[in-house]
Amino acid sequence: MLAIGGVLVLLTLVTVSVANGEMPLPPADALKGLIGLGDPGTVLVVQEFRAPRMVAAVVAGTGLAVAGALLQRLFRNPLASPDVMGVTGGASFGAVAMLAMGASQALIPLAALGGGLFAAVLLGVFGWRAGVSVTRLVLVGLAVQAGLTAAVNFMVVSFPTELAGSALQWTTGSVYGRTWTEVWAAGGAVVVALAVAFTLHRRLAVLDLGDDSAGALGLNTNTARLQVLVTAVVLASLGAALTGPVAFVALAVPHIVRFLAGPPTAGTLALSGLAGAVLLLASDLVAQYLLPVSGLPVGVVTATLGAPWLLALMIRQSSSVNRSVR
């Protein structure tokens, strides 16, 4: 029922996205234009200007939400998410560095992936000292995210004027101006990474039993954790390649899905992807049409929602730790 409801909401948002803009279109005509039917002018407007932005939001939201669900389940901590642990900051850093070199837009997803993996390496180097502590990983991740964001801001202000505008989305997160080249490059890789994530579900289920039980069942726990971690980093990096460092989606969506659908399963993982697509596309529509200031990037909306959510989670986490110490 939740999946059916989510699909209906997503279809409604897709219709609103392709039908509205500087030249409003009847919803039926916009949907026809989306599949290449109807007036040639309508087809051009929908397919070349509106559809890439809409698809980018759906793909990025799906990738970020599934990445967040994987990380939170892997580390068994509600604060574990790509934007908190520095992955999206690394992806933005890689993408901006590629722009600085004047590379093709098709290479941006690859650069973002490299940046996300770089952030994961930094997290491992500084966070795994004296054993694995989830609290330490989160704190180190916040430091890595802040450092890489500062590096991105420095590069943006150092760019020539003609490059600064295209690089600005990597400071807040935006789906404005996406092209089919970027969408196909990142979207195809996200589909592959999602398939890998679902094949790893059984290993995650075994890891949930604890290391001793998982080892007794023949699972190499270190290898399984590394596989899940790399898959989550890839998904988050590719999502950030389309949007920049969008906050809140990867952090909050898994919590919402767990509240609505219960314990994690393959079905709830798929539902997380659907909810992430709905949330990011809805946030983009809010940024475009419902805010009094026009032209705001979607990252402003998600960050406004995400900041109090993160604060509430940290307070709740701190309270639970204090109770356990007592």
Side-chain angles (χ1 to χ4, degrees):
M1 291 178 63
L2 288 171
I4 293 172
V7 169
L8 293 176
V9 172
L10 181 61
L11 291 176
T12 301
L13 293 174
V14 166
T15 303
V16 173
S17 180
V18 297
N20 287 277
E22 293 185 4
M23 184 180 74
L25 298 170
D29 292 346
L31 291 177
K32 288 180 181 178
L34 185 61
I35 59 176
L37 301 176
D39 180 71
T42 298
V43 173
L44 176 66
V45 168
V46 172
Q47 290 193 348
E48 296 302 321
F49 298 104
R50 298 179 184 176
R53 178 171 185 160
M54 177 270 294
V55 175
V58 170
V59 171
T62 301
L64 289 170
V66 172
L70 291 175
L71 289 176
Q72 289 179 17
R73 189 173 179 186
L74 179 65
F75 292 114
R76 301 176 186 176
N77 190 293
L79 294 176
S81 74
D83 42 337
V84 173
M85 302 180 75
V87 176
T88 55
S92 297
F93 176 80
V96 172
M98 186 63 72
L99 283 174
M101 292 186 290
S104 169
Q105 290 286 333
L107 295 177
I108 295 298
L110 184 62
L113 177 58
L117 292 173
F118 173 68
V121 170
L122 290 179
L123 183 65
V125 169
F126 295 108
W128 252 271
R129 293 180 180 179
V132 178
S133 168
V134 176
T135 302
R136 181 185 179 90
L137 287 176
V138 170
L139 293 175
V140 171
L142 288 171
V144 169
Q145 180 83 352
L148 292 172
T149 300
V152 169
N153 288 331
F154 176 78
M155 286 191 289
V156 169
V157 298
S158 302
F159 275 172
T161 305
E162 61 271 14
L163 281 179
S166 61
L168 190 60
Q169 69 150 321
W170 304 104
T171 63
T172 54
S174 173
V175 288
Y176 173 76
R178 296 303 92 206
T179 65
W180 282 120
T181 300
E182 297 167 297
V183 171
W184 285 120
V190 165
V191 170
V192 174
L194 286 172
V196 174
F198 283 101
T199 62
L200 292 174
H201 169 72
R202 290 182 180 274
R203 298 186 184 188
L204 267 174
V206 176
L207 285 174
D208 288 342
L209 301 175
D211 286 0
D212 293 337
S213 298
L217 292 172
L219 181 68
N220 187 324
T221 56
N222 291 329
T223 301
R225 283 196 178 92
L226 181 61
Q227 291 171 336
V228 175
L229 180 60
V230 170
T231 302
V233 169
V234 169
L235 281 168
S237 300
L238 293 171
L242 289 172
T243 63
V246 171
F248 177 68
V249 176
L251 179 66
V253 166
H255 292 277
I256 297 171
V257 171
R258 279 196 299 271
F259 176 76
L260 295 174
T265 63
T268 58
L269 189 63
L271 191 59
S272 294
L274 177 60
V278 168
L279 179 59
L280 190 54
L281 184 55
S283 297
D284 186 45
L285 292 174
V286 168
Q288 288 185 75
Y289 304 116
L290 297 184
L291 294 182
V293 180
S294 61
L296 287 177
V298 66
V300 172
V301 177
T302 59
T304 302
L305 296 172
W309 187 282
L310 176 60
L311 180 61
L313 284 177
M314 294 184 72
I315 293 174
R316 181 180 177 184
Q317 193 81 348
S318 176
S319 300
S320 63
V321 170
N322 291 336
R323 285 196 297 269
S324 64
V325 170
R326 293 174 185 172

